[in-house]
């Protein structure tokens, strides 16, 4: 989901590649520069891949008999130098911008600051939401349930995997009814391989959900901070985050932001294994949600005090 306004100064943001930044206050500028530097570092890999493909077509596919056909594939290569100079120019422009630096560290729930001095890309600290504050005060074991979005995703995944099984299985069944033997069944090897691939995919999804539910139920909970946010090729929001564990050690991770609301500098809740902090999950990427205990409203508290 495209960001309509800067979360710091509430002005219209701009894009540098797939990264959003604010040209007014400098929010997320460093992440935009880092993303474009990664694109520049990937240019030699793209040139190598185009060269390898051209060599394969020229000698392997006998394009040496008609080398002019390679021009259609090598035409995009001519845009690589142009893209390089445009990226360098954009990076220089972003670096030349001057903004006021606000030094406001974002603290974790253990009191350890996640950054000692905020840069111009994180011009202000963001206050955690009431839901995040409530999650920090939950104790294990927690009650969880599959979220609405999680149910949709899991059902779509189950139906998608089933489509790869139903048609081949029906074909194998018809051939078995006809020949009463697997010796004459055509494509049996491919069918078995497809079943194994689908089974491995289903096992991976199940294993990931078991790990997720275990961390949500029994894991330690901490307030982390979004270090970088970007959108992938399908415009799905991705975030890189960091948090400090109970020992004060700093850890990082990458997660899919299913809320489409997180930006650089914002807080997020992370669940992790106390014995192995690398075993972690960001709450924004989970298909399950923690059932928070009912809270007492201020009006109810006033009525109870009067009684």
């Amino acid at each position: 989901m495209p960001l309509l306004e800067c979360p710091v100064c509430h002005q219209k943001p701009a894009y540098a590649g797939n990264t959003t930044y604010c040209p007014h206050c400098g929010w997320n500028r460093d992440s935009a520069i880092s993303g474009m530097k990664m694109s520049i570092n990937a240019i030699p890999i793209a040139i190598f891949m185009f060269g390898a493909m051209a060599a394969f077509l020229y000698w392997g596919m006998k394009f040496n008999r008609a080398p002019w056909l390679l021009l259609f594939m090598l035409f995009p290569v001519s845009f690589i130098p142009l893209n390089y100079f445009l990226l360098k120019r954009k990076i220089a422009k972003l670096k030349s911008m001057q903004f006021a630096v606000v030094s406001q560290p974002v603290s974790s729930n253990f009191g350890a600051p996640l950054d000692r001095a905020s840069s111009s890309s994180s011009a202000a600290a963001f206050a955690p939401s009431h839901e995040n504050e409530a999650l920090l005060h939950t104790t294990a074991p927690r009650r969880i349930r599959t979220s609405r979005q999680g149910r949709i995703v899991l059902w779509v995944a189950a139906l998608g995997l089933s489509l790869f099984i139903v048609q081949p299985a029906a074909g194998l069944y018809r051939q078995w009814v006809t020949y009463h033997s697997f010796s004459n069944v055509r494509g049996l090897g491919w069918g078995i391989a497809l079943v194994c691939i689908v089974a491995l995919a289903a096992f991976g999804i199940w294993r990931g959900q078991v790990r997720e539910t275990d961390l949500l139920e029994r894991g330690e909970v901490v307030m982390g901070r979004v270090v970088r946010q970007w959108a992938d090729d399908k415009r799905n929001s991705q975030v890189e985050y960091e948090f400090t564990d109970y020992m004060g050690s700093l850890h990082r991770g990458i997660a899919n932001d299913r809320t489409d609301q997180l930006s650089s500098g914002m807080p997020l809740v992370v669940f992790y294994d106390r014995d192995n902090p690398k075993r972690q999950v960001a709450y924004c990427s989970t298909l399950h949600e923690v059932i928070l205990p009912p809270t007492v409203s201020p009006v109810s508290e006033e009525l109870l005090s009067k009684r």
Side-chain angles (χ1 to χ4, degrees), residues 144-157:
I144 64 172
R145 63 189 176 193
T146 307
S147 63
R148 180 179 179 182
Q149 184 182 17
R151 289 193 295 268
I152 296 175
V153 171
L154 293 177
W155 273 109
V156 170

Side-chain angles (χ1 to χ4, degrees), residues 6-18:
C6 171
V8 176
C9 66
H10 304 289
Q11 299 292 326
K12 184 178 180 180
Y15 280 88
N18 289 331

Side-chain angles (χ1 to χ4, degrees), residues 168-205:
L172 291 175
Y173 177 75
R174 288 195 299 266
Q175 295 185 49
W176 168 262
V177 171
T178 303
Y179 299 105
H180 298 286
S181 174
F182 283 114
S183 60
N184 296 324
V185 175
R186 294 172 295 178
L188 181 60
W190 288 105
I192 295 176
L194 182 61
V195 170
C196 293
I197 293 174
V198 173
L200 288 175
F203 176 77
I205 295 174

Side-chain angles (χ1 to χ4, degrees), residues 237-257:
S237 178
Q238 306 288 327
V239 294
E240 181 182 2
Y241 61 90
E242 65 182 13
F243 69 95
T244 53
D245 60 15
Y246 73 103
M247 294 292 291
S249 301
L250 186 66
H251 302 274
R252 288 204 174 194
I254 296 177
N256 179 24
D257 176 23

Side-chain angles (χ1 to χ4, degrees), residues 57-198:
L57 293 177
Y58 187 80
W59 285 288
M61 303 299 293
K62 306 300 181 181
F63 272 39
N64 52 0
R65 301 173 183 175
W68 56 271
L69 293 175
L70 294 175
L71 296 177
F72 293 99
M73 193 207 71
L74 296 178
F75 178 72
V77 180
S78 60
F79 291 95
I80 293 181
L82 177 62
N83 187 39
Y84 173 80
F85 288 112
L86 290 178
L87 289 174
K88 295 289 288 186
R89 183 178 178 181
K90 186 67 174 180
I91 291 175
K93 181 180 178 180
L94 289 177
K95 287 183 176 181
S96 64
M97 293 181 177
Q98 300 295 328
F99 307 101
V101 178
V102 180
S103 180
Q104 290 183 341
V106 181
S107 298
S108 68
N109 64 323
F110 294 106
L114 291 176
D115 57 346
R116 274 71 179 175
S118 299
S119 64
S120 59
S121 63
S122 57
F126 299 91
S129 63
H130 296 293
E131 181 184 1
N132 290 346
E133 290 289 353
L135 286 171
L136 292 178
H137 293 87
T138 57
T139 57
R142 306 175 186 88
R143 295 174 56 200
I144 64 172
R145 63 189 176 193
T146 307
S147 63
R148 180 179 179 182
Q149 184 182 17
R151 289 193 295 268
I152 296 175
V153 171
L154 293 177
W155 273 109
V156 170
L159 292 176
L161 293 177
S162 299
L163 292 177
F164 286 97
I165 293 294
V166 173
Q167 184 176 358
L172 291 175
Y173 177 75
R174 288 195 299 266
Q175 295 185 49
W176 168 262
V177 171
T178 303
Y179 299 105
H180 298 286
S181 174
F182 283 114
S183 60
N184 296 324
V185 175
R186 294 172 295 178
L188 181 60
W190 288 105
I192 295 176
L194 182 61
V195 170
C196 293
I197 293 174
V198 173

Side-chain angles (χ1 to χ4, degrees), residues 1 19 24 35 37 48-49 62 98 130-131 134 138 143 187 209 226 232 242 255 261-263 265 268-269 285:
M1 182 177 65
T19 306
H24 306 282
K37 286 183 177 179
F48 173 78
M49 292 180 63
K62 306 300 181 181
Q98 300 295 328
H130 296 293
E131 181 184 1
T138 57
R143 295 174 56 200
Q209 294 307 299
V226 178
D232 58 16
E242 65 182 13
Q261 296 178 356
L262 294 178
S263 302
L268 82 166
V269 176
S285 65

